[in-house]
Amino acid sequence: MFTCLLVCINLGSSVALNAINSLGAVSILSSYFITISCLVWRRLFGKPLPPRRWSLGRLGIWTNIAALCVLTPLWLFAFWPLARPVTPETMNWSSALFGGVMVLATMFYWAYGRWVFTGPVVLVKRDL
Amino acid sequence: MVGGIIQGLIALNKAEYVFEPWHATLLTIAVLTFAIVFNTVLANQLPMVEGGALVIHFVGFFAIFIPLWVLAPKNSTEMALFTFTNNGGWSSLGLSAMIGLTAPVSSLIGYDCSVHMSEELRDASLTMPKAIMWTVAPNAIFGLLMVVTLCYTLGDAEAVADTPTRQPFIQLFLNGTGSLTGTNVMVSIVVVCLTCCCISEVATASRQLWSFARDKGLPGSIWLMHVSRYTTLIWQALRDP
């Protein structure tokens, strides 16, 4: 239903729809960046990782670092407009949308989420 | 995307078609409804759909790859692989290439979506990494082969980009095969594959939404995390993928 509403934005302005489409790529890249950074931080500085059945072994940390190196320029360039000169029609508005969603999500977490949200890792029972 | 490609198919066959934004909107809503029906009413058939999508994807790749290589006039290697254009007005070719990376990025993301289905898997700790590796490797090879094919069979890049169908790849197929029927069939394969992707996307996004709501991370969590007692479906999350 939300997707139907999003598609109806196309009736008003295709610029907004393009911004939302590029926002999808940016959001996924950000989520990859956060999860892989957590892995790298744990491997370098923190407690050992949770037990797992399938592992790359010693290649793991290097795969993670290589992934971060690839993700960073992709994420940065995903915000750029496609062509110059940049007008309100050709601008890539995903930067504005991404910032707005981050601000709203942070406010929601600060006001409500931090009292009720339990992360999934806390609840998973490891059966090896 | 599917709505836009279907519009391109209509424009290919009817020269006097006028593009309206509400056409694309309604087509997208139709594809979405089809995907939601497949996830709710026909939810038991989802594994069959996924298996069928794999077969269509695999066979469809060859159905497009082989005609293009056999029938299309090919550019010289120097022009296909080593000629670069900077039409965006950016200050250097390298910068333009980096900004253009945004388009291929869409083929590199999304492999993690299968993780959202892991609650419904048997032995997910072992099956999931294998599934992801088996997805990434063949897709990388097929993607590279297809991109090289497109570079060789492109012809004149500006003329292909100015196509009346507004989808350059449809114009490329038409120029390459020289046959309207062949182009229709090849684009239909692409549309079917993308529709199967839509079905999978609705499945995975609804599970992600539901499990996030179960952990109470979203506004409206209590409404979203409801599981229907009779059909074990997550109706509310499926309606809002």
Side-chain angles (χ1 to χ4, degrees), chain A residues 1-4 7-8 10-11 22 24-25 28-29 31-32 53-54 56 73-74 77-86 108 112-113 116-120 123 127-128, chain B residues 21-22 24-26 28-29 32 36 87-91 95 98-99 101-102 105 108-112 123 125-126 129-130 133 212 215-219 223 239-241:
Chain A
M1 204 167 25
F2 282 148
T3 320
C4 290
V7 168
C8 289
N10 193 22
L11 300 172
S22 54
I28 289 191
L29 291 175
S31 71
Y32 290 172
R53 293 174 65 185
W54 188 92
L56 285 172
L74 285 180
F77 283 106
F79 285 113
W80 288 44
L82 282 179
R84 288 176 90 188
V86 181
F108 178 73
Y112 173 76
V116 296
F117 180 70
T118 51
L123 300 169
D127 261 340
L128 282 185
Chain B
W22 58 267
T25 304
L26 287 179
T28 309
I29 294 180
L32 199 61
I36 293 181
N87 291 332
W90 293 100
S91 53
L95 188 61
M98 292 300 285
I99 296 172
L101 272 181
T102 315
V105 154
L108 292 174
I109 57 183
Y111 294 111
D112 68 312
D123 201 15
S125 330
L126 215 49
K130 282 190 201 167
M133 301 293 271
F212 201 28
D215 296 330
K216 299 200 178 50
L218 292 170
W223 181 67
R239 272 193 302 158
D240 308 326

Side-chain angles (χ1 to χ4, degrees), chain A residues 103-126:
Chain A
V103 166
L104 285 174
T106 311
M107 280 174 13
F108 178 73
Y109 181 73
W110 183 79
Y112 173 76
R114 60 184 164 145
W115 312 116
V116 296
F117 180 70
T118 51
V121 184
V122 170
L123 300 169
V124 170
K125 186 172 96 158
R126 303 270 166 191

Side-chain angles (χ1 to χ4, degrees), chain B residues 75-122:
Chain B
N75 299 331
S76 65
T77 306
E78 191 199 326
M79 186 179 158
L81 297 180
F82 297 111
T83 311
F84 302 101
T85 54
N86 180 2
N87 291 332
W90 293 100
S91 53
S92 81
L93 203 57
L95 188 61
S96 205
M98 292 300 285
I99 296 172
L101 272 181
T102 315
V105 154
S106 60
S107 65
L108 292 174
I109 57 183
Y111 294 111
D112 68 312
C113 291
S114 47
V115 173
H116 306 313
M117 312 288 286
S118 60
E119 286 185 11
E120 302 175 21
L121 287 185
R122 210 177 302 162

